[in-house]
């Protein structure tokens, strides 16, 4: 090493800076390794989602729900009477038509009560409403 104090100071400064840069480079390498690991995980998850999507798109459509999969008919006897009237008619019906079939007076309280029950049967998947206010059995 040189005996010149100025050169000696410069060399010490260079050694210190080299150590600092080596430490920073080591930290960057550690961060790069961590980011590479995280990127690999994200890439693997993305690939899994792609495979899942592809698999789901190749599956056949499920068959319509069987009657055992549907919620039960409400306990009130009026629901069974409505279903029987629809089955006997063999066609779609409106709440007013059902009131007549069930020998109920055609009053707003009766038609609205029947309509409410029909909507509940639709929400449970027991009946369908092919157009607003028109109700039928799914098998009709």
């Amino acid at each position: 090493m040189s005996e010149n104090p100025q050169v000696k100071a410069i060399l010490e400064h260079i050694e210190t800076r080299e150590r600092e840069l080596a430490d920073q480079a080591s930290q960057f390498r550690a961060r790069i390794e961590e980011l590479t690991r995280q990127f690999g995980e994200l890439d693997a998850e993305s690939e899994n989602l792609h495979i899942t999507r592809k698999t789901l798109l190749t599956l056949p459509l499920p068959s319509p729900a069987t009657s055992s999969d549907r919620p039960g008919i409400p306990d009130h006897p009026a629901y069974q009477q409505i279903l029987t009237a629809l089955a006997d008619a063999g066609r779609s019906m409106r709440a007013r038509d059902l009131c007549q079939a069930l020998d109920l007076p055609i009053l707003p309280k009766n038609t609205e009560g029947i309509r409410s029950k029909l909507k509940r049967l639709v929400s449970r998947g027991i009946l369908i409403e092919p157009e607003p206010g028109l109700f039928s059995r799914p098998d009709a």
Side-chain angles (χ1 to χ4, degrees):
M1 198 142 111
S2 173
E3 295 294 323
N4 185 338
Q6 289 178 332
V7 172
K8 190 175 182 180
I10 292 172
L11 290 174
E12 287 176 3
H13 177 71
I14 289 172
E15 286 179 23
T16 302
R17 184 65 181 144
E18 283 177 334
R19 281 192 300 276
E20 289 172 355
L21 291 174
D23 287 345
Q24 283 182 342
S26 176
Q27 291 173 0
F28 283 136
R29 280 187 196 92
R31 285 179 56 194
I32 288 170
E33 288 173 6
E34 177 62 20
L35 290 171
T36 301
R37 183 191 62 75
Q38 290 176 351
F39 179 73
E41 290 173 359
L42 290 174
D43 201 29
E45 184 176 353
S46 178
E47 181 64 21
N48 287 341
L49 290 172
H50 177 74
I51 291 169
T52 301
R53 176 193 314 272
K54 189 175 177 181
T55 302
L56 287 174
L57 290 174
T58 61
L59 291 175
L61 292 175
S63 60
T66 61
S67 60
S68 62
D69 293 338
R70 293 184 186 152
I73 299 170
D75 290 337
H76 197 276
Y79 291 97
Q80 190 58 51
Q81 292 170 343
I82 290 170
L83 292 174
T84 302
L86 278 168
D88 290 347
R91 61 178 175 85
S92 299
M93 298 179 79
R94 299 190 179 281
R96 180 181 176 92
D97 301 331
L98 279 163
C99 284
Q100 288 175 336
L102 297 172
D103 294 326
L104 294 173
I106 308 298
L107 299 173
K109 70 175 188 173
N110 291 336
T111 56
E112 289 306 314
I114 293 293
R115 183 174 291 109
S116 172
K117 288 174 178 58
L118 290 165
K119 293 282 190 179
R120 183 168 293 124
L121 291 170
V122 168
S123 72
R124 292 183 176 214
I126 297 168
L127 293 180
I128 59 171
E129 189 175 8
E131 64 181 63
L134 191 63
F135 301 90
S136 67
R137 298 171 56 103
D139 52 9

